[in-house]
Amino acid sequence: MRELVVISGKGGTGKTSITASFAALSRGSVFADCDVDAADLHLLLAPEIREREVFRSGFKPVIESDLCTECGRCRELCRFDAIDERFQIDHFDCEGCGVCADHCPAGAIRMEENECGEVFVSKTRFGTMVHARLGIAEENTGRLVTRVRKLAREHAEAEGASLIIADGSPGIGCPVIASITGARLALIVSEPTVSGLHDTSRVLGLLRHFNVPAAVVINKCDLNAAMSREIRFLCSVSSVPCLGEIPFDHSFTEALVNRKTLIEYCDGGTSGAIGGIWESAREMMGEN
């Protein structure tokens, strides 16, 4: 089973729109939204939820008011000021370290497993999709991404799908690392700006570190021809293929407004360029 992960060095490069277009072009694939901090692939694929599970990670303290003597020891030890003068815990400030529970002389504080969000398995017009919703101010996004990918692989095996197409997170942090490890190909969506060049370089360094095959596509390539050349040069010196360039096109926005992929919304032109990139990516993964 192969996995194509679409990532970017920053948000707003068109990563999700391109991922959704790949979903429209694929046949018999399973899809995963690994951008759990700001999941939005569902806006284009309109999933119908079939399964859901609670995602639990880490622990949070709970004070038993009938056992608490209000001695103040927990407030003295809490370095995050998460316990107020009424001995109530603010879970937005709490880091779940457990110091308060370990040192409460009355044994009035217990640690409970934390419910961080939900994971969904859905049906879309293109196939099965696994996605998630992270709770407000919750962490452990890397573990949630890992869970999403695991479920996607399980469903791909059950359905006999040979390819998983994943919408990864932007940047180079923990959720990105959790998205790319073990992938057959990571496709970086870049844009012709100074920050786009810099961020693409950082992502390439991350992929080299984890030995993940990489390729680049330049979106909105005609907005700054000089910077597009710089990105192509970066690809050349990094021995990374640039699979294609996508011109700036208002049809992207029009398709989003209509909750369609660009492939569904219009033929030829930009959608043809994306189709060519899709075929090149498949060839790199040995799908042809």
Side-chain angles (χ1 to χ4, degrees):
M1 185 186 305
R2 301 169 177 87
E3 188 170 357
L4 167 65
V5 184
V6 185
I7 58 177
S8 60
K10 60 180 286 295
T13 62
K15 169 178 60 65
T16 299
S17 293
I18 293 172
T19 304
S21 294
F22 286 172
L25 290 164
S26 68
R27 295 290 183 271
S29 299
V30 169
F31 316 111
D33 193 343
C34 296
D35 189 2
V36 297
D37 285 297
D40 54 9
L41 188 60
H42 63 281
L43 298 176
L44 288 172
L45 300 192
E48 178 186 340
I49 296 173
R50 300 291 179 86
E51 303 172 23
R52 66 175 71 209
E53 68 176 43
V54 175
F55 174 68
R56 295 179 175 86
S57 183
F59 293 86
K60 62 181 179 181
V62 176
I63 298 178
E64 299 281 1
S65 57
D66 56 333
L67 297 177
C68 179
T69 62
E70 300 186 358
C71 67
R73 182 61 175 159
C74 56
R75 297 191 67 210
E76 291 174 11
L77 293 174
C78 182
R79 300 185 62 182
F80 307 101
D81 297 322
I83 306 174
D84 64 21
E85 63 276 0
R86 295 172 297 172
F87 294 94
Q88 295 180 350
I89 298 172
D90 185 339
H91 290 291
F92 287 108
D93 290 333
C94 177
E95 292 290 324
C97 65
V99 167
C100 56
D102 289 341
H103 292 273
C104 177
I109 305 176
R110 70 177 190 276
M111 299 298 291
E112 287 187 346
E113 195 171 20
N114 188 33
E115 294 186 0
C116 301
E118 290 183 287
V119 184
F120 311 101
V121 179
S122 302
K123 288 296 181 183
T124 75
R125 59 192 182 278
F126 304 124
T128 300
M129 173 180 172
V130 183
H131 51 123
R133 178 187 297 124
L134 189 66
I136 297 172
E138 295 291 355
E139 298 181 356
N140 293 305
T141 54
R143 291 188 63 184
L144 182 52
V145 169
T146 299
R147 181 57 182 161
V148 167
R149 291 184 70 195
K150 183 175 186 295
L151 278 175
R153 285 194 294 271
E154 290 175 359
H155 280 269
E157 289 173 0
E159 296 174 17
S162 62
L163 179 64
I164 297 171
I165 302 173
D167 186 16
S169 299
I172 58 171
C174 181
V176 182
I177 295 170
S179 299
I180 64 172
T181 49
R184 178 61 63 93
L185 177 65
L187 180 63
I188 306 168
V189 180
S190 186
E191 62 181 9
T193 62
V194 174
S195 62
L197 174 65
H198 175 262
D199 293 336
T200 300
S201 177
R202 293 204 309 163
V203 176
L204 285 172
L206 180 74
L207 296 173
R208 279 195 301 271
H209 178 79
F210 286 99
N211 198 30
V212 177
V216 173
V217 56
I218 307 173
N219 194 20
K220 297 170 276 191
C221 62
D222 50 346
L223 292 184
N224 189 328
M227 289 307 304
S228 290
R229 286 194 297 271
E230 290 286 340
I231 294 170
R232 289 196 298 270
F233 179 74
L234 172 64
C235 292
S236 177
V237 298
S238 303
S239 299
V240 169
C242 181
L243 298 189
E245 301 181 6
I246 303 170
F248 178 80
D249 190 342
H250 289 291
S251 296
F252 265 112
T253 304
E254 294 167 7
L256 287 171
V257 170
N258 287 277
R259 299 190 70 178
K260 293 182 178 180
T261 68
L262 191 69
I263 303 302
E264 298 171 290
Y265 187 74
C266 60
D267 295 324
T270 304
S271 61
I274 294 176
I277 293 166
W278 165 247
E279 291 301 328
S280 297
R282 291 184 67 222
E283 185 176 353
M284 280 193 69
M285 293 185 294
E287 280 285 303
N288 286 349

